[in-house]
Amino acid sequence: VSGPPPRLPPPVVTVRGPDWLPASRLDAARACPLSVALAASDADPLPSHPKAVYGSILHRLYEAAARGDVEPGPDFPRRMRTELDRLVAGRPPGVPAPERVYGYLEWLQRSSDVVARAGAVVGDGGARPSRLAPSSPGRPSPFRPDDAPPPFVAHDHGRWAEVWLASPRLRVRGKADLVEREGDHVTVVDLKTGKASGADGGVAERAALQLRAYGLVVLELVPRATVHLVVAAGSTRPVPFGPSDQEATRAVLADLAGRLPAGAAVDAADLATPGAPCRFCSGRHRCPAYAAAAPPWWREGAPHPVPADVWGRVESAVREGGSVSLSLRDAADRLVRVARLREGLVGDVSEGDELHAFGLQGRGGRTEDGLHLAPTRYADLGVDGEGAAWSLAVFGRG
Ligand code: SF4
């Protein structure tokens, strides 16, 4: 084992407003504008969980089918499996096999579900015909935000996959999965590989807001269009896009554009909104608001699940077979045990050192009032040495 763990990056004080508001992250930006500004910056993010890698692989598989790259017909499921194997084989180095990350059965279930959803979209020769069956061969759009307008502006009949939509006026951009045009009717489709419903059973707000932003861009490009927005997640579900929805979406975009002015420096403290979104934020290790908010959550509980992170001073370190088990006095003055940390991640850390760990495995309890408590026992490697806290990042303070 050589040297200490990497140094914790300094806390972020100011951020630059991004040039574009990402359509796929508008809901996250509403919840915490700082998270989106940090994600758009060059700063080193916390590592992605392999489940995010496989989520994007499954989405690419769905897109490939929608694009027409996987031939429909009775053999469609087998061809999709072959395409999936190819995409999985090309995953980034170091990402474990999907069966290790999810377990064999869960991976089989997830991938079969996406094959079935794609079959419903393209029509697979034996399955029910899809309302989204191609009206002309699907083809990728060559359009990029700073380039020519997307093809449906010039062609009043067709179906295109992966269409860049951007509005410099609204400062929003993103890549729509599918756009169909039949005369004055333009349909924008979001292909969902996972859950598409929100807590109320309707289309999840994240997907609805993204599609509505695309809808506003389409209206700018083809002002006479009647725009239909659809989420395709097994069955197809429409997203309302009446005048009040359009107005509300414009208001969201204007508010975000005001809070995140393009290229201008903004105080991080004015944007940070610690709470439920922190669990999915890749800038936690640089966020002073989270550093201040988390210890009271650990000690007293929080109304939302708490990220599996801990930081504090090492009280003991026991090394065994390539891993280190630590006791820490954490920033909430609790004694926390972290079992089986990979030695390669923690280096030669020892008693008295300050350690910050983001993305551990652990299960916290609840208070009598239902608040979420942080665990006092965490682990990196699983008991069998197989599973691990796949997105774990460990830092020291030197
Ligand atoms: S850690 Fe929480 S408060 Fe900080 S930027 Fe991320 S979501 Fe916002």
Coordinates of all heavy atoms in Angstrom, one line a residue, residues 257-326:
A257 N -33.0 30.1 -15.7 CA -32.0 31.0 -16.5 C -31.6 32.2 -15.6 O -30.5 32.6 -15.7 CB -32.7 31.4 -17.8
G258 N -32.6 32.7 -14.8 CA -32.3 33.8 -13.9 C -31.3 33.4 -12.8 O -30.4 34.2 -12.4
R259 N -31.5 32.2 -12.3 CA -30.7 31.8 -11.1 C -29.3 31.3 -11.6 O -28.3 31.3 -10.9 CB -31.4 30.7 -10.4 CG -32.7 31.1 -9.7 CD -33.2 30.1 -8.7 NE -32.3 30.2 -7.5 CZ -32.4 29.3 -6.5 NH1 -33.3 28.4 -6.5 NH2 -31.6 29.4 -5.5
L260 N -29.2 30.9 -12.9 CA -28.0 30.4 -13.4 C -27.6 31.2 -14.7 O -27.6 30.6 -15.8 CB -28.1 28.9 -13.8 CG -28.3 27.9 -12.6 CD1 -28.8 26.5 -13.1 CD2 -27.0 27.7 -11.8
P261 N -27.3 32.4 -14.5 CA -27.0 33.2 -15.7 C -25.8 32.7 -16.5 O -24.7 32.4 -15.8 CB -26.7 34.7 -15.2 CG -26.6 34.5 -13.7 CD -27.1 33.2 -13.3
A262 N -25.9 32.6 -17.8 CA -24.8 31.9 -18.6 C -23.5 32.6 -18.4 O -23.4 33.8 -18.6 CB -25.2 31.9 -20.1
G263 N -22.5 31.9 -18.0 CA -21.1 32.4 -18.0 C -20.8 33.3 -16.8 O -19.7 33.7 -16.6
A264 N -21.8 33.6 -16.0 CA -21.6 34.5 -14.8 C -21.3 33.7 -13.6 O -21.8 32.6 -13.4 CB -22.9 35.4 -14.6
A265 N -20.5 34.3 -12.7 CA -20.1 33.7 -11.4 C -21.3 33.9 -10.5 O -21.8 35.0 -10.3 CB -18.8 34.2 -10.9
V266 N -21.7 32.8 -9.8 CA -22.8 32.8 -8.8 C -22.3 32.2 -7.6 O -21.5 31.2 -7.6 CB -24.0 32.1 -9.3 CG1 -25.2 32.3 -8.4 CG2 -24.4 32.4 -10.8
D267 N -22.6 32.8 -6.4 CA -22.3 32.2 -5.1 C -22.9 30.8 -5.0 O -24.2 30.7 -5.1 CB -22.7 33.0 -4.0 CG -21.8 34.2 -3.8 OD1 -20.7 34.2 -4.4 OD2 -22.1 35.1 -3.0
A268 N -22.1 29.8 -4.7 CA -22.7 28.4 -4.5 C -23.7 28.4 -3.4 O -24.7 27.7 -3.5 CB -21.5 27.5 -4.2
A269 N -23.5 29.2 -2.3 CA -24.4 29.2 -1.2 C -25.8 29.7 -1.6 O -26.8 29.3 -1.0 CB -23.8 30.1 -0.1
D270 N -25.9 30.5 -2.7 CA -27.2 31.0 -3.1 C -27.9 30.0 -3.9 O -29.1 30.2 -4.1 CB -27.0 32.3 -4.0 CG -26.5 33.5 -3.1 OD1 -26.6 33.4 -1.9 OD2 -26.0 34.4 -3.8
L271 N -27.3 29.0 -4.4 CA -27.9 28.0 -5.2 C -28.2 26.6 -4.5 O -29.1 25.9 -4.9 CB -27.0 27.7 -6.4 CG -26.7 28.8 -7.4 CD1 -25.7 28.4 -8.4 CD2 -28.0 29.3 -8.0
A272 N -27.3 26.4 -3.5 CA -27.4 25.0 -2.8 C -28.7 24.9 -2.1 O -29.2 25.8 -1.4 CB -26.3 24.9 -1.8
T273 N -29.3 23.7 -2.3 CA -30.6 23.4 -1.6 C -30.4 21.9 -1.1 O -30.9 21.0 -1.7 CB -31.8 23.4 -2.6 OG1 -31.6 24.6 -3.4 CG2 -33.1 23.5 -1.9
P274 N -29.8 21.8 0.1 CA -29.5 20.4 0.6 C -30.8 19.7 0.9 O -31.7 20.4 1.5 CB -28.7 20.6 1.9 CG -28.3 22.1 1.9 CD -29.2 22.8 1.0
G275 N -30.9 18.5 0.6 CA -32.1 17.7 0.9 C -32.1 16.4 0.1 O -31.0 15.9 -0.2
A276 N -33.3 15.9 -0.3 CA -33.4 14.6 -0.9 C -32.5 14.5 -2.2 O -31.9 13.4 -2.4 CB -34.8 14.3 -1.3
P277 N -32.3 15.6 -3.0 CA -31.5 15.4 -4.2 C -30.0 15.1 -3.9 O -29.3 14.7 -4.9 CB -31.6 16.8 -4.9 CG -32.6 17.6 -4.2 CD -32.8 17.0 -2.9
C278 N -29.5 15.4 -2.7 CA -28.1 15.2 -2.5 C -27.7 13.7 -2.8 O -26.5 13.5 -3.2 CB -27.7 15.5 -1.0 SG -28.0 17.3 -0.6
R279 N -28.6 12.8 -2.5 CA -28.3 11.4 -2.7 C -27.8 11.1 -4.1 O -27.1 10.1 -4.3 CB -29.5 10.5 -2.3 CG -29.2 9.1 -1.9 CD -30.2 8.6 -1.0 NE -31.5 8.4 -1.6 CZ -32.0 7.3 -2.0 NH1 -31.3 6.2 -1.9 NH2 -33.2 7.2 -2.5
F280 N -28.3 11.8 -5.1 CA -28.0 11.5 -6.5 C -27.0 12.5 -7.1 O -26.8 12.6 -8.3 CB -29.3 11.5 -7.3 CG -30.3 10.6 -6.7 CD1 -31.4 11.1 -6.0 CD2 -30.2 9.2 -6.9 CE1 -32.3 10.3 -5.4 CE2 -31.1 8.4 -6.3 CZ -32.2 8.9 -5.6
C281 N -26.4 13.3 -6.2 CA -25.5 14.4 -6.7 C -24.1 14.0 -6.7 O -23.6 13.5 -5.7 CB -25.7 15.6 -5.8 SG -24.7 17.0 -6.2
S282 N -23.4 14.2 -7.8 CA -22.0 13.8 -8.0 C -21.1 14.9 -7.5 O -19.9 14.8 -7.6 CB -21.7 13.5 -9.4 OG -22.0 14.6 -10.2
G283 N -21.6 16.0 -6.9 CA -20.8 17.0 -6.4 C -20.8 17.1 -4.9 O -20.3 18.2 -4.3
R284 N -21.2 16.1 -4.2 CA -21.4 16.1 -2.8 C -20.0 16.4 -2.1 O -20.0 17.1 -1.1 CB -21.9 14.8 -2.2 CG -23.2 14.4 -2.7 CD -23.9 13.3 -1.9 NE -23.1 12.0 -1.7 CZ -23.0 11.1 -2.6 NH1 -23.7 11.2 -3.8 NH2 -22.3 10.0 -2.4
H285 N -19.0 15.9 -2.6 CA -17.6 16.0 -1.9 C -17.1 17.4 -2.0 O -16.2 17.8 -1.3 CB -16.6 15.0 -2.6 CG -16.4 15.2 -4.0 ND1 -17.5 15.4 -4.9 CD2 -15.3 15.2 -4.8 CE1 -17.0 15.5 -6.1 NE2 -15.7 15.4 -6.1
R286 N -17.7 18.3 -2.9 CA -17.2 19.7 -3.0 C -18.3 20.7 -2.5 O -18.1 21.9 -2.7 CB -17.0 19.9 -4.5 CG -16.0 19.0 -5.1 CD -15.6 19.4 -6.5 NE -15.0 20.7 -6.4 CZ -15.3 21.7 -7.3 NH1 -16.1 21.5 -8.3 NH2 -14.7 22.9 -7.2
C287 N -19.4 20.2 -1.9 CA -20.5 21.1 -1.6 C -20.5 21.4 -0.1 O -20.8 20.6 0.7 CB -21.8 20.4 -2.0 SG -23.2 21.4 -1.6
P288 N -20.2 22.7 0.2 CA -20.2 23.1 1.6 C -21.5 23.0 2.3 O -21.6 22.7 3.5 CB -19.7 24.6 1.6 CG -19.5 25.0 0.1 CD -19.8 23.8 -0.7
A289 N -22.6 23.3 1.5 CA -23.9 23.2 2.1 C -24.2 21.8 2.5 O -24.8 21.5 3.6 CB -25.0 23.7 1.1
Y290 N -23.8 20.8 1.7 CA -24.0 19.4 2.1 C -23.2 19.0 3.3 O -23.6 18.3 4.2 CB -23.8 18.5 0.9 CG -23.8 17.0 1.3 CD1 -24.9 16.4 1.7 CD2 -22.6 16.2 1.1 CE1 -24.9 15.0 2.0 CE2 -22.6 14.9 1.5 CZ -23.8 14.3 1.9 OH -23.8 13.0 2.3
A291 N -21.9 19.5 3.3 CA -21.0 19.2 4.4 C -21.6 19.7 5.7 O -21.4 19.1 6.8 CB -19.6 19.8 4.1
A292 N -22.3 20.8 5.7 CA -22.9 21.4 6.9 C -24.2 20.7 7.3 O -24.5 20.5 8.4 CB -23.2 22.9 6.7
A293 N -25.0 20.3 6.2 CA -26.3 19.7 6.5 C -26.2 18.2 6.9 O -27.1 17.8 7.7 CB -27.2 19.8 5.2
A294 N -25.2 17.5 6.4 CA -25.3 16.0 6.6 C -25.1 15.6 8.1 O -25.9 14.8 8.6 CB -24.2 15.4 5.8
P295 N -24.1 16.2 8.9 CA -24.0 15.6 10.2 C -25.2 15.7 11.1 O -25.6 14.8 11.8 CB -22.8 16.5 10.8 CG -22.0 16.8 9.6 CD -23.0 17.0 8.5
P296 N -26.0 16.9 11.0 CA -27.3 16.8 11.8 C -28.3 15.8 11.3 O -29.0 15.2 12.1 CB -27.9 18.2 11.6 CG -26.7 19.1 11.2 CD -25.7 18.2 10.5
W297 N -28.2 15.5 10.0 CA -29.1 14.4 9.5 C -28.7 13.1 10.1 O -29.5 12.2 10.5 CB -29.0 14.2 7.9 CG -29.5 15.4 7.1 CD1 -30.4 16.3 7.6 CD2 -29.2 15.7 5.8 NE1 -30.6 17.2 6.5 CE2 -29.9 16.8 5.4 CE3 -28.4 15.0 4.8 CZ2 -29.9 17.4 4.1 CZ3 -28.4 15.6 3.5 CH2 -29.1 16.8 3.2
W298 N -27.3 12.8 10.2 CA -26.8 11.6 10.7 C -27.3 11.4 12.2 O -27.7 10.3 12.6 CB -25.3 11.5 10.7 CG -24.6 11.7 9.4 CD1 -25.2 11.5 8.2 CD2 -23.3 12.0 9.1 NE1 -24.3 11.8 7.2 CE2 -23.1 12.1 7.7 CE3 -22.2 12.3 9.9 CZ2 -21.9 12.4 7.1 CZ3 -20.9 12.6 9.3 CH2 -20.8 12.6 8.0
R299 N -27.2 12.5 12.9 CA -27.4 12.5 14.4 C -28.9 12.5 14.7 O -29.4 11.7 15.5 CB -26.8 13.7 15.0 CG -26.5 13.6 16.5 CD -25.7 14.8 17.0 NE -26.2 16.1 16.4 CZ -25.3 16.9 15.7 NH1 -24.1 16.6 15.6 NH2 -25.8 18.0 15.2
E300 N -29.7 13.3 14.0 CA -31.1 13.5 14.4 C -32.1 12.9 13.4 O -33.3 12.8 13.7 CB -31.4 15.0 14.5 CG -30.7 15.6 15.7 CD -30.2 17.0 15.4 OE1 -30.8 17.7 14.6 OE2 -29.2 17.4 16.0
G301 N -31.6 12.5 12.2 CA -32.6 12.0 11.2 C -33.0 13.0 10.2 O -32.8 14.2 10.5
A302 N -33.4 12.6 9.1 CA -33.8 13.5 8.0 C -35.1 13.0 7.4 O -35.4 11.8 7.4 CB -32.7 13.5 6.9
P303 N -35.9 13.9 6.8 CA -37.2 13.4 6.2 C -37.0 12.7 4.9 O -38.0 12.3 4.3 CB -37.9 14.8 6.0 CG -36.9 15.8 6.0 CD -35.7 15.3 6.8
H304 N -35.8 12.5 4.4 CA -35.5 11.8 3.2 C -34.3 10.8 3.4 O -33.6 11.0 4.4 CB -35.1 12.8 2.1 CG -34.1 13.8 2.6 ND1 -32.7 13.5 2.8 CD2 -34.2 15.1 3.1 CE1 -32.1 14.6 3.3 NE2 -33.0 15.5 3.5
P305 N -34.1 9.8 2.6 CA -33.0 9.0 2.7 C -31.7 9.8 2.6 O -31.6 10.7 1.9 CB -33.1 8.0 1.5 CG -34.5 8.0 1.2 CD -35.0 9.4 1.5
V306 N -30.7 9.4 3.4 CA -29.5 10.1 3.6 C -28.4 9.4 2.7 O -28.3 8.2 2.7 CB -29.0 10.1 5.1 CG1 -27.8 10.9 5.3 CG2 -30.2 10.7 5.9
P307 N -27.5 10.2 2.0 CA -26.5 9.5 1.2 C -25.6 8.7 2.2 O -25.4 9.0 3.3 CB -25.7 10.7 0.7 CG -26.6 11.9 0.7 CD -27.5 11.6 1.8
A308 N -25.1 7.6 1.6 CA -24.3 6.6 2.4 C -22.8 7.1 2.5 O -21.9 6.5 1.9 CB -24.4 5.2 1.8
D309 N -22.6 8.3 3.1 CA -21.3 8.9 3.2 C -21.0 9.1 4.7 O -21.9 9.2 5.5 CB -21.3 10.3 2.6 CG -21.9 10.3 1.1 OD1 -21.7 9.3 0.5 OD2 -22.4 11.4 0.7
V310 N -19.7 9.2 5.0 CA -19.3 9.5 6.3 C -17.9 10.2 6.3 O -17.1 9.9 5.4 CB -19.2 8.2 7.2 CG1 -18.1 7.3 6.8 CG2 -19.2 8.6 8.7
W311 N -17.7 11.1 7.2 CA -16.3 11.6 7.3 C -16.1 11.9 8.8 O -17.0 12.1 9.6 CB -16.1 12.9 6.5 CG -17.2 14.0 6.7 CD1 -17.2 15.0 7.6 CD2 -18.3 14.1 5.9 NE1 -18.3 15.8 7.4 CE2 -19.0 15.3 6.3 CE3 -18.9 13.4 4.8 CZ2 -20.2 15.7 5.8 CZ3 -20.1 13.9 4.2 CH2 -20.7 15.0 4.7
G312 N -14.8 11.8 9.2 CA -14.4 12.0 10.6 C -13.0 11.5 10.8 O -12.2 11.4 9.8
R313 N -12.6 11.3 12.1 CA -11.2 11.0 12.4 C -11.1 9.5 12.7 O -12.0 9.0 13.4 CB -10.7 11.8 13.6 CG -9.2 12.0 13.7 CD -8.8 13.2 14.4 NE -9.0 14.5 13.8 CZ -8.3 14.9 12.7 NH1 -7.2 14.2 12.3 NH2 -8.5 16.1 12.2
V314 N -10.1 8.9 12.2 CA -9.9 7.4 12.3 C -9.4 7.2 13.8 O -8.5 7.8 14.3 CB -8.8 6.9 11.3 CG1 -8.5 5.5 11.6 CG2 -9.3 7.2 9.9
E315 N -10.2 6.3 14.5 CA -9.7 5.9 15.8 C -9.0 4.6 15.8 O -8.1 4.3 16.7 CB -11.0 5.8 16.7 CG -11.6 7.1 16.9 CD -12.4 7.3 18.2 OE1 -12.7 6.2 18.8 OE2 -12.6 8.4 18.7
S316 N -9.3 3.7 14.9 CA -8.5 2.5 14.7 C -8.6 2.0 13.3 O -9.6 2.2 12.6 CB -9.0 1.4 15.7 OG -10.2 0.9 15.3
A317 N -7.5 1.3 12.9 CA -7.5 0.7 11.5 C -6.9 -0.7 11.6 O -5.8 -0.8 12.1 CB -6.6 1.6 10.6
V318 N -7.7 -1.7 11.2 CA -7.2 -3.1 11.2 C -7.1 -3.6 9.8 O -8.1 -3.6 9.0 CB -8.2 -3.9 12.0 CG1 -7.7 -5.4 12.0 CG2 -8.3 -3.4 13.4
R319 N -5.9 -4.0 9.4 CA -5.7 -4.5 8.0 C -5.7 -6.0 8.0 O -5.2 -6.7 8.8 CB -4.3 -4.0 7.5 CG -4.3 -2.6 7.3 CD -2.9 -2.0 7.1 NE -3.0 -0.5 7.2 CZ -3.5 0.3 6.3 NH1 -3.8 -0.2 5.1 NH2 -3.6 1.6 6.5
E320 N -6.4 -6.5 6.9 CA -6.5 -8.0 6.8 C -6.8 -8.3 5.3 O -7.8 -7.9 4.8 CB -7.6 -8.5 7.7 CG -7.6 -10.0 7.8 CD -8.8 -10.5 8.7 OE1 -9.6 -9.6 9.1 OE2 -8.9 -11.7 8.9
G321 N -5.9 -9.1 4.7 CA -6.2 -9.7 3.4 C -6.5 -8.7 2.4 O -7.5 -8.8 1.6
G322 N -5.8 -7.5 2.3 CA -6.1 -6.6 1.2 C -7.2 -5.6 1.5 O -7.6 -4.8 0.7
S323 N -7.8 -5.6 2.7 CA -8.8 -4.6 3.1 C -8.5 -4.1 4.5 O -7.7 -4.6 5.3 CB -10.2 -5.2 3.0 OG -10.4 -6.1 4.1
V324 N -9.1 -2.9 4.8 CA -8.9 -2.3 6.1 C -10.3 -2.0 6.7 O -11.2 -1.5 6.1 CB -8.2 -0.9 5.9 CG1 -7.8 -0.3 7.2 CG2 -7.1 -1.0 4.9
S325 N -10.4 -2.4 8.0 CA -11.6 -2.0 8.7 C -11.3 -0.9 9.7 O -10.3 -1.0 10.4 CB -12.1 -3.3 9.4 OG -12.6 -4.2 8.5
L326 N -12.2 0.1 9.7 CA -11.9 1.3 10.5 C -13.0 1.6 11.5 O -14.2 1.3 11.3 CB -11.9 2.5 9.5 CG -10.9 2.6 8.4 CD1 -11.2 3.8 7.5 CD2 -9.5 2.6 8.9

